[in-house]
Each structure stands twice: as structure tokens, then as C-alpha cells.
Amino acid sequence: MGNINPSFLHIGSTLGAVFMALMVIFIRIKASERPVTIRKIWIPPLGMSTGFAMFVVPETRFPLWWAAAAFVIGWFIFAYPLIRSTKFEQRDGEVYVQRSKSFAFILLGLLLVRTLLHEFINQYITIPQSGGLFFIMAFGMIVHWRLFMFRRYNVLVPPKTRLEQTRS
């Protein structure tokens, strides 16, 4: 992996995860002040999907069943607290995400669990491989969470209104 000390990669990835968690908390707080749209629901997972380009680098690759297991863990376990803490409300004919007092704690708890899992897994595989696995796990989590949000949104917003939103 070149001349980079693996401990620097480990520290960097942990600090990066903390930074990203704090950014998500901040963004989520700001997002609760603006109405939800279909576009706002699907942009995060679409933007995140570009991260699959990391697997072009051979050092990040691992068996396909590892990827499937990581995705399933993200989908079923890590998405659950986010789904439980996401509620919508209608104000002035528009849909908003309700502020959840528990969201920041849930996100920090998920970060703690992720960090502990990362510590354990790094004993058995390389740092780039664990980064790839945790990316796939996070992708499974966000896709499930956003799919849940999309379904809830569709229940609250009539089809005619959704059609008008996509045109504007």
C-alpha cells in the first residue's frame, strides 16, 4: 500500500467517520426546516453510489459473499434505528421531516458500533478492504432508510402533487 503507515489510515478513517457523522447530524437538522421532495430523498444514495468506484483498486476487493453480508447487515440492522427515528409531518400542504431528539444519539451510537466492529475486523483483513466492507454496509443502510422515506412520502403526498414537484 505504498509508503503510508497503516495506523495513519486507521486514525484517518476513524476521524473521517466522526466528521461525516457530525455533518449528517448538522445536515439533518437543517433539512428539517425545508420540505421533503423525492429528489431530496434519493440524492444521498445516488451520490454515495459513486463510491463503488473504489473497487477498481485491487487492494479494496474481497469475496462477493462478504459484500452481500455487509449489505444485508446494513439493510436489516443499521437502517432500523434510522427508520424508527424518521417521522414525517405535514405543514402548510408540504411534507417535512420531524426533528428527532434521538437522531443524534442514534447516529453517534451507530458510529460507536461501527468503530468497534472496524477495530475487530481490521485484525483479519486490510484497511482498504474493511473500508470497502463498511462502505457497502453504509450503502445498504442508507438505501433501506431512503426507500422507507420514499414509501412514507408517497403515502402522504398525492400522485398529482408529486407530478407537479418533478416538473418544477
Side-chain angles (χ1 to χ4, degrees), residues 4 16 30 33 54 74 83 85 90 104 117 125 130 135 140 150 156 161 165-167:
I4 300 174
K30 294 303 258 177
E33 298 169 3
M54 82 171 83
I83 289 169
S85 69
Q90 288 187 312
L117 277 172
I125 62 176
S130 69
F135 168 79
F150 179 69
L156 294 173
T161 308
Q165 276 185 354
T166 57
R167 289 185 180 155

Side-chain angles (χ1 to χ4, degrees), residues 48-57 60 135:
M48 188 177 174
S49 68
T50 62
F52 282 102
M54 82 171 83
F55 296 108
V56 170
V57 178
T60 61
F135 168 79

Side-chain angles (χ1 to χ4, degrees), residues 66-130:
W66 292 10
F71 187 85
V72 166
I73 289 168
W75 185 277
F76 287 108
I77 297 172
F78 282 82
Y80 182 75
L82 295 172
I83 289 169
R84 296 285 296 162
S85 69
T86 302
K87 307 255 187 281
F88 288 134
E89 63 183 352
Q90 288 187 312
R91 286 186 258 149
D92 302 323
E94 301 202 88
V95 177
Y96 291 81
V97 175
Q98 285 181 351
R99 280 195 179 178
S100 170
K101 294 176 184 175
S102 63
F103 181 76
F105 296 110
I106 288 170
L107 203 59
L108 292 173
L110 289 173
L111 177 63
L112 178 65
V113 170
R114 177 214 170 272
T115 303
L116 294 173
L117 277 172
H118 208 267
E119 289 294 322
F120 176 74
I121 289 173
N122 276 342
Q123 297 174 21
Y124 303 102
I125 62 176
T126 67
I127 292 172
Q129 286 176 320
S130 69

Side-chain angles (χ1 to χ4, degrees), residues 36-38 40-46 71 75-76 79 82-83 86 88 138-155:
V36 175
T37 64
I38 292 172
K40 288 179 183 178
I41 290 171
W42 287 116
I43 284 177
L46 289 174
F71 187 85
W75 185 277
F76 287 108
L82 295 172
I83 289 169
T86 302
F88 288 134
F139 189 74
M141 174 186 72
I142 197 168
V143 168
H144 189 191
W145 178 36
R146 294 303 174 130
L147 183 62
F148 164 81
M149 290 175 71
F150 179 69
R151 287 179 179 156
R152 277 285 163 90
Y153 179 83
N154 283 338
V155 168

